[in-house]
Amino acid sequence: RDTAAGDVHLVSWNVAGWKTTIEHIRRFKGGLAAFLERHHIDILCLQEVKLSAKVIASEGVKLGADVPGFESFWACNEGAGVQRQGLNGVATIARQGFVLSADAKPLLDAELDGEGRCLATDLGPVVVFNVYVPNSAGGHRLPFKMRFLRALRAAMGRARASGKAVILAGDLNMKARPRDSHWSFRPLEVPALRHLAAQGDAEGRRLPADAREALEAIAAAWPSVAEALRAKEHRPFETKNSRNGQTFQRWGVFAKAKTGDMVR
């Protein structure tokens, strides 16, 4: 394949832990080398590898860091900031000779780069930014996330200013359209519900009776729901990881239910 001709297959994958994922690939897919060839992958961008540089150095073969015919580049969280070592982490595995240089600190900000969330690989005519954008964590880390996005835009701007095209790959932790969101996070338009119950969908198809009854019940209950939301409270609350006991401080919106209980 020729990068200058644009004949490159790039795959982006949030693996939520590379150790578990590569073990699954080894057991069921014949190993990473076979997996890459089977899917004709030239560049594999991984997010949330959850590894430290020390682990990669000591277990590189097991982790697929030196697959024949490929090179691997890593950006890790070494625990210098507010997060513990080994969280986040991105890696780019590319065919031998594709990458001219790699930069694990392209954001030019020690705090942002220190979380191991951005890795830039220069392919000559193109720079690939492999990113794992911070989650806003219920609002607590939103300022940090916005700083990260501004720094990322600036880094991509610098690459473009040098005459290179840019590819942004990874987990952006954001949604562009309502359809990209789980239904529980989509805005509720009560007039649209009433219209759907009475008139059917956009093609004039009537809903089943039980669906119409459910929509009418939601529309009827909405005034009391809206009143409870107008009186909502923003409160801190704590969650705990059931596996390791780690606690997280978050902010949530609480409203009073008909029972009088405050629910989130």
Side-chain angles (χ1 to χ4, degrees), residues 1-10 40 42-43 98 123 167:
R1 291 174 174 83
D2 181 3
T3 56
D7 183 18
V8 175
H9 184 204
L10 184 151
H40 308 290
D42 297 308
I43 302 172
F98 269 33
L123 278 62
I167 294 175

Side-chain angles (χ1 to χ4, degrees), residues 1-184:
R1 291 174 174 83
D2 181 3
T3 56
D7 183 18
V8 175
H9 184 204
L10 184 151
V11 173
S12 178
W13 186 8
N14 183 321
V15 292
W18 183 231
K19 275 191 173 183
T20 302
T21 303
I22 197 170
E23 179 60 28
H24 183 95
I25 291 173
R26 186 176 295 112
R27 290 177 59 192
F28 301 106
K29 307 297 180 182
L32 183 57
F35 177 84
L36 293 169
E37 291 302 324
R38 180 180 299 116
H39 296 286
H40 308 290
I41 297 173
D42 297 308
I43 302 172
L44 178 61
C45 295
L46 306 173
Q47 301 87 43
E48 278 201 278
V49 294
K50 297 183 178 180
L51 298 168
S52 67
K54 182 178 179 180
V55 171
I56 295 166
S58 62
E59 303 180 33
V61 174
K62 183 179 178 181
L63 295 170
D66 57 353
V67 175
F70 286 82
E71 298 176 285
S72 68
F73 308 89
W74 306 76
C76 304
N77 183 345
E78 301 300 339
V82 298
Q83 294 187 319
R84 63 179 174 82
Q85 185 183 43
L87 285 181
N88 315 319
V90 294
T92 299
I93 300 173
R95 288 193 183 273
Q96 193 83 34
F98 269 33
V99 177
L100 302 181
S101 63
D103 186 357
K105 299 181 179 180
L107 304 181
L108 306 183
D109 182 311
E111 185 179 15
L112 298 176
D113 286 318
E115 290 200 356
R117 294 181 177 274
C118 186
L119 175 64
T121 47
D122 186 343
L123 278 62
V126 178
V127 177
V128 176
F129 285 83
N130 177 10
V131 304
Y132 175 47
V133 175
N135 188 302
S136 58
H140 174 67
R141 299 204 82 200
L142 182 57
F144 184 85
K145 178 176 184 175
M146 299 309 295
R147 270 181 59 205
F148 181 95
L149 292 172
R150 286 191 292 269
L152 175 61
R153 173 178 285 183
M156 293 191 296
R158 289 191 293 271
R160 293 190 180 100
S162 71
K164 298 178 183 291
V166 166
I167 294 175
L168 176 61
D171 183 346
L172 302 183
N173 259 320
M174 63 180 69
K175 301 170 286 291
R177 304 164 299 177
R179 70 180 65 180
D180 297 324
S181 303
H182 187 268
W183 65 265
S184 63

